[in-house]
Amino acid sequence: MVVGVVGGIGFKGGAPENNGRPEIGYWLGRPFWNRGYATEAVRGALKWMKRDWRRQVVVAGHFADNPASGQVLCKAGFLYTGDVELRPSAARGGAEVPTRM
């Protein structure tokens, strides 16, 4: 039995670079990949955001070298804007990497 943190999810609210829209972010520990946990967590968090914060628009992105995370966002209803931004990645030592929005 594995005991510990499975992952994390949260919102960064109303950043000017997102036109005041909250941005969702998440991560999942490697032992829990490919089990649907991220998709379920993102969908649940979005329902909570809509119901409790009454926010209709949320932005998100995923690192270009992580297509599985892009699939999570697509399953949750996100659409690609075509924008690619350089964003820092803690898992990559803080290096800025291309992020599909």
Side-chain angles (χ1 to χ4, degrees), residues 2-75:
V2 177
V3 178
V5 176
V6 172
I9 191 165
F11 292 98
K12 180 171 71 171
E17 63 270 17
N18 294 332
N19 295 320
R21 298 177 180 128
E23 180 173 355
I24 191 170
Y26 56 91
W27 63 271
L28 197 61
R30 190 177 301 262
F32 307 101
W33 290 2
N34 300 311
R35 296 183 183 194
Y37 297 144
T39 300
E40 183 177 352
V42 169
R43 285 177 175 162
L46 291 172
K47 285 180 186 177
W48 174 82
M49 172 68 83
K50 185 175 183 177
R51 183 188 69 231
D52 290 5
W53 282 9
R54 293 183 170 80
R55 300 302 287 266
Q56 302 296 316
V57 178
V58 176
V59 298
H62 71 89
F63 296 123
D65 64 354
N66 185 355
S69 189
Q71 287 298 311
V72 168
L73 295 175
C74 288
K75 289 177 190 176

